[in-house]
Amino acid sequence: MTQKLQWLEVMRGVAACWVLVYHANQSVTNFIGPSGEPHVLISNGYLGVDFFFVLSGFIIAYSSNRLLETGRGLVDYARARIVRVYVPYLPIGTTMFMLYLVWPHLSAADRSPGLLTSLTLLPSNSPPALSVAWTLVHEIIFYALFSLFFLWRHALWSLLALWAISIGCYVWLGQPLARGLEYLLSPLNLCFLLGVAVYYLTRKGVAARVAIAAAVVGAVVVVFEASQQQPSRWLLALGFSALIVGASSATARCWNPRRWMMTLGAASYSIYLSHGPVLSIAVRGFRRILPDAGSLAALLVISVFSLAVGLVYCFIYERRALVVVREFFTATTLMAAMELVSSALRRVETKNVSLNGTIRPQSRANALLQSIRVNSRLLIQRQKCLG
């Protein structure tokens, strides 16, 4: 994580915990009983998803520009997005789909998950088996559209503008659509575009006064709206954007987050993916073990337990799996490149055969290639040992 994005990582961890507590309160209410009117901040925990979408737009624009600056392109972009999303998701998403096949009434809600969306996160008329994975379907759509950045940038801006206009028309007409089309035209997708706009407006940096003012105003707007019974999601999106401006500025880099904050942020995706199934198990276990305990105690216990499981999933599986998969792609790409160069040199060498049928001494280039090949293999083996 670059220093520029550290505070954004912390904010992502906070948003993941916000969503977790929101769903924990729902689980306690459904299985144990309400403990009175929950605090409005808990009831509005679903708004953490809005922050994820704004932040995702900012991060994708930021990382795509960095890829171009380092001479990389569409293949690297696609590989990074696929690995980052699917490696942590697939074990949980696949397990949930298999459980629904065995126990169709696993969820208290009436859910009939679809195979396509559950395994690929591509939009369809059936929901994914993992309840929170609907947000990842939106992410995949945005990633696919933004890939045009590496092919035809001017067309990308036209496409994103057309996307925003289409969403506006859908909201204005108010006509119901099939679930697959609703993914594409949901007003929540505008949060992605807002995040992209924030990046390009601030990519050259902002003055310290502007950064501090943005952070303060953003925090005030978010806290005020999140405390309302009917918050304005448009104002919240703008508040989240202002927070991102402040958190990604050079001024914010003067203060380093605490280690536990960075840990929470690093595990945010694992926490988000795992908390639904974990809460479902934890609340049932709590009701069986402590039937006379109150709802407030249940909310605290299952929230902490779910958070702990998310941290374990991150550091036991997600981090290690990402390293292994990325090393595999790196090694495969490197060895393929070496083979292409080797093949080209062999063709050149064949043309250099002398008239008496003997081959000239190995060229410096060929010797260098052999050295690079050997050192590359050694480097890959060393990285695997260190990982």
Side-chain angles (χ1 to χ4, degrees), residues 269-350:
Y269 188 39
S270 288
I271 293 169
Y272 184 73
L273 289 175
S274 64
H275 79 272
V278 173
L279 287 173
S280 180
I281 295 171
V283 72
R284 290 174 169 88
F286 185 92
R287 184 176 61 178
R288 180 179 294 271
I289 297 171
L290 298 170
D292 298 326
S295 298
L296 186 60
L299 177 63
L300 179 62
V301 169
I302 69 171
S303 296
V304 172
F305 180 74
S306 180
L307 178 62
V309 171
L311 290 168
V312 170
Y313 184 75
C314 172
F315 293 102
I316 297 299
Y317 169 73
E318 180 187 339
R319 280 196 167 185
R320 297 182 180 185
L322 288 175
V323 169
V324 170
V325 174
R326 285 166 179 163
E327 283 183 351
F328 170 78
F329 279 122
T330 300
T332 303
T333 302
L334 183 59
M335 297 312 297
M338 289 294 99
E339 290 304 321
L340 286 174
V341 175
S342 178
S343 177
L345 284 174
R346 282 196 296 269
R347 287 197 297 270
V348 172
E349 194 175 60
T350 302

Side-chain angles (χ1 to χ4, degrees), residues 204-279:
K204 294 183 179 180
V206 294
R209 293 179 182 177
V210 175
I212 294 172
V216 171
V217 171
V220 170
V221 170
V222 168
V223 172
F224 178 79
E225 286 298 327
S227 302
Q228 304 302 307
Q229 293 292 341
Q230 295 182 330
S232 168
R233 300 184 81 162
W234 302 110
L235 284 177
L236 266 168
L238 292 174
F240 290 142
S241 300
L243 282 175
I244 290 172
V245 170
S248 62
S249 67
T251 305
R253 278 171 262 168
C254 296
W255 297 278
N256 291 322
R258 298 284 185 179
R259 187 173 181 177
W260 67 268
M261 296 178 180
M262 291 300 300
T263 299
L264 191 64
S268 59
Y269 188 39
S270 288
I271 293 169
Y272 184 73
L273 289 175
S274 64
H275 79 272
V278 173
L279 287 173

Side-chain angles (χ1 to χ4, degrees), residues 345-355 357-361 363:
L345 284 174
R346 282 196 296 269
R347 287 197 297 270
V348 172
E349 194 175 60
T350 302
K351 293 180 181 179
N352 290 334
V353 175
S354 62
L355 293 176
T358 59
I359 299 177
R360 293 180 179 179
S363 65

